[in-house]
Every structure is written in C-alpha cells, then in structure tokens.
Amino acid sequence: MTIPTTTEAQAGTADATPAAAPTAAPTPRQKWAASFAMFRNAKSLTGLAILGFFVLLAVFGDLIAPYGPLEKDYTALKQAPSWTHLLGTTHMGEDVFSQIVYGTRGVLLVGFLAGILATIAAVAVGVTAGMVAGWRSEGLSALTNVFLVLPGLPLMIIIASQYDNPSLFLIAAVLALTGWAWGARVLRAQTMSLRDRDFVRAARANGEPLWRIITVEMLPNLMAIIASSFVGTVTAAVLGLTTLAFIGIIPITNLNWGTILFWAQQNGAFPDYWWWYVPAGLCIALLGMALSLINFGIDEYVNPRLRSAGDRARAQRKKGLKPTSGVTAVRHTPSPSPAPARTDTEAPSA
C-alpha cells in the first residue's frame, strides 16, 4: 500500500473542493434599479405620485383648464362650485380651477429652478470647503455662515420690490441666493468626514488632481445628501414664492397659488367664499407633503439605521406582522404528553 505524500494529499483535496462560482456582474437593469433604491418605500412612492400629478397639471395646463386664467364671466360672480365652474369663481367671475391649473406652472418652475441654482452653489462651496484646507476652507465656511444668518424673507422683499415686473427667473435667483447656505454647510461636514477615507488617500497618492477627486471620488458618495438638499430647497422656494405673492410683492401678472390667496384676502373671501382660498391652500400643503415624503425616502437611503429599520418593517409586513408591535410573535410547539405513572401492583418487566 502506497501512502500519498503531503503534496499529493493537498492536491487531491484541492481537486475535490469545488471552485467558487464567480460573482455575476450586475446587469444594466439591476444598476438602474439600484439608482432608485431610495424610492422603494410607500412614503416616497406616494410623494412621487402627488408630485407627478402636479407636473401633469403644469405641462398640460392648456388642455386641462376649461377657461383662461383671467377670462371673466360676469353672470357668475363669486359663484359656488358647480358643473360649469368646478371650483367656483372669483369676484370678477374668473374660474378658480383654471387659475389653480395655470398657477401650478409658475410654482413648479420657480421651485425647481431655485432648487437647481441653490444646489449647484451648495455643492460648489460646500464640497470645495470640505476638501481644501487653511484660509481657503475657513473663508468659504465664513461665507456660508454669513448667508446662514441673513434674514431670507426681508432680503427677498427688498430685492423683488426693486423691479416693477420681476420675471420668474429673477424670483428663482433671489430664492436660490437665500437658500443655498444650509446645504453647503451639510455638504462641507460630510466631505470632511470622507476626505480621510482610504479611497481618497489612494487617489491623492496616485497624483490625481483635486477636481477629479471631487467629481469622481467624492460626488458619487454625496449624491443622496445632494438630492435631499435639493428637495428641501425646492420646498423652501415654493413657500417663499407663495409668501411673496400673498403679501403683494409679486405682481398679479405672475399668476400662482399665492396670487390667488392674495386676491381672496383683498376681496373679503374669508371665511364665506371658501372655494376661493381653500383649493390654493390645499395645493400648497399637498406639494409640501409630497416633497417631504420624497425626502423621507432619501433619508432612509442615506441613514443605514433607517434603511435597516425599513427593511425589517417591510419583511415583517410580508409575514403578516405589525412593524409597530412591541411583542414578538413566538411559535408554540406542543410538548409531549408525560408517560403514565407506574402503580405498585404492576410487576417490573424482566
């Protein structure tokens, strides 16, 4: 009998062990699904559905609105909702539903344009301040702190009141000027926590330029926070626009939901003619709620604790359990019945 050597035994063991299956590369569909992983919970989907409804109103407003926003019907002044005027009319016989539909376009345009401009400024200042050091970082941080403490609403009133008929782009620029600092502050803190990671140090050791480190190494890891900052800025811009319109800073030619509330307040619609001001207020509340729900989904994607808690809650729902229940369901196994006791009259078996 021949005893195999140690080398032969190791070779035989290696041959007997099955090779590990190579990890399959993610398909384009999986990559596309991973990009929208933050929108897989019910809150985010609800927010996207509400936001999509308002986007449809803004895009197809000319087809949806039954009348022009300033078209007057003097036979129906301050008329309650009816089949002819779904949301009633104003003191001049203007259809409130048509004004709501046309006003959606201005609200979304200013909100998203201000969000884009403010996000670009926040990324440029915040990420750069987090990556550089010395007086440059301190200078950018001081600039951010100055804009943080500036009173936003008075500044918007002063700038907007200098023009007789400010355009929507000017209003969006003013709102972006007063809304970028908070996002820059958050991005600076997050960038400072990432700049000492191994992949950033490796890029520096390879001699990569600063702009490439920021665009290739840093920004992909900051996209969720940037998206959250964008959503928050859009919400603030929508509220700022409607506030400026309600207090009369924006001319009546820039029709939006705040303008509807302004005219309702000026003509004594409160509280009798509820159809004049309630729909505009509900639209503002619904749009703010939709953006907040989308932000909840982004927060869950960014925060590992919230993401794991959401995964557990979804797994419990699939099993028919309530995620908010504090009692853990325990499966009971019936215990075996005890053996009957032996009497003294029974003789022990041999």
Side-chain angles (χ1 to χ4, degrees):
M1 178 178 180
T2 305
I3 300 176
T5 61
T6 305
T7 305
E8 294 174 348
Q10 292 177 351
T13 305
D15 295 338
T17 303
T23 304
T27 62
R29 183 177 180 180
Q30 292 175 343
K31 292 181 179 180
W32 180 261
S35 302
F36 294 91
M38 64 183 70
F39 301 124
R40 61 185 177 182
N41 56 15
K43 293 181 180 179
S44 297
L45 294 177
T46 304
L48 286 175
I50 298 175
L51 182 60
F53 170 75
F54 285 116
V55 170
L56 290 178
L57 286 182
V59 174
F60 302 102
D62 298 332
L63 302 176
I64 297 175
Y67 305 96
L70 301 179
E71 184 179 344
K72 297 174 178 58
D73 183 6
Y74 294 106
T75 62
L77 303 180
K78 292 184 179 180
Q79 188 183 68
S82 62
W83 288 111
T84 306
H85 301 281
L86 296 179
L87 295 179
T89 59
T90 66
H91 68 296
M92 298 294 291
E94 299 162 344
D95 186 66
V96 176
F97 176 72
S98 300
Q99 290 187 347
I100 292 289
V101 172
Y102 279 98
T104 305
R105 185 175 302 171
V107 170
L108 293 184
L109 178 62
V110 172
F112 280 95
L113 184 58
I116 292 172
L117 294 177
T119 303
I120 292 174
V123 171
V125 176
V127 178
T128 304
M131 287 297 299
V132 300
W135 65 269
R136 294 174 294 179
S137 177
E138 296 299 329
L140 292 174
S141 179
L143 178 65
T144 304
N145 293 334
V146 169
F147 277 89
L148 274 176
V149 299
L150 280 179
L153 184 60
L155 182 61
M156 288 187 292
I157 293 175
I158 293 173
I159 296 177
S161 60
Q162 299 302 315
Y163 298 88
D164 295 333
N165 189 13
S167 63
L168 295 179
F169 296 97
L170 177 62
I171 298 172
V174 173
L175 293 172
L177 181 66
T178 59
W180 65 269
W182 180 255
R185 190 72 175 174
V186 175
L187 287 172
R188 178 179 179 269
Q190 188 65 21
T191 304
M192 293 179 67
S193 67
L194 290 176
R195 69 182 182 184
D196 293 329
R197 299 286 181 89
D198 293 338
F199 63 93
V200 178
R201 290 187 176 184
R204 286 178 173 174
N206 290 333
E208 299 288 348
L210 180 60
W211 66 267
R212 192 181 186 281
I213 294 176
I214 293 177
T215 56
V216 177
E217 303 293 342
M218 302 295 294
L219 287 183
N221 294 279
L222 297 173
M223 286 307 297
I225 298 179
I226 293 173
S228 178
S229 175
F230 172 76
V231 172
T233 306
V234 172
T235 306
V238 169
L239 295 178
L241 172 68
T242 53
T243 301
L244 290 176
F246 179 70
I247 62 180
I249 300 300
I250 297 177
I252 60 174
T253 54
N254 293 329
L255 182 65
N256 58 74
W257 300 335
T259 309
I260 299 173
L261 295 176
F262 168 78
W263 283 115
Q265 189 268 338
Q266 289 292 319
N267 292 277
F270 302 94
D272 297 331
Y273 307 107
W274 57 268
W275 59 85
W276 195 349
Y277 57 87
V278 169
L282 285 178
C283 288
I284 297 173
L286 283 175
L287 182 58
M289 183 184 70
L291 295 172
S292 299
L293 290 175
I294 294 173
N295 206 7
F296 289 156
I298 298 175
D299 288 340
E300 181 178 325
Y301 181 78
V302 174
N303 194 328
R305 293 184 178 180
L306 294 178
R307 185 165 64 247
S308 60
D311 293 338
R312 287 196 300 269
R314 283 186 286 270
Q316 289 179 351
R317 291 192 189 97
K318 291 181 179 179
K319 295 179 181 179
L321 303 176
K322 293 183 178 181
T324 57
S325 176
V327 180
T328 303
V330 179
R331 181 177 296 176
H332 297 280
T333 304
S335 57
S337 57
R342 189 180 64 182
T343 58
D344 296 338
T345 58
E346 295 178 353
S349 58

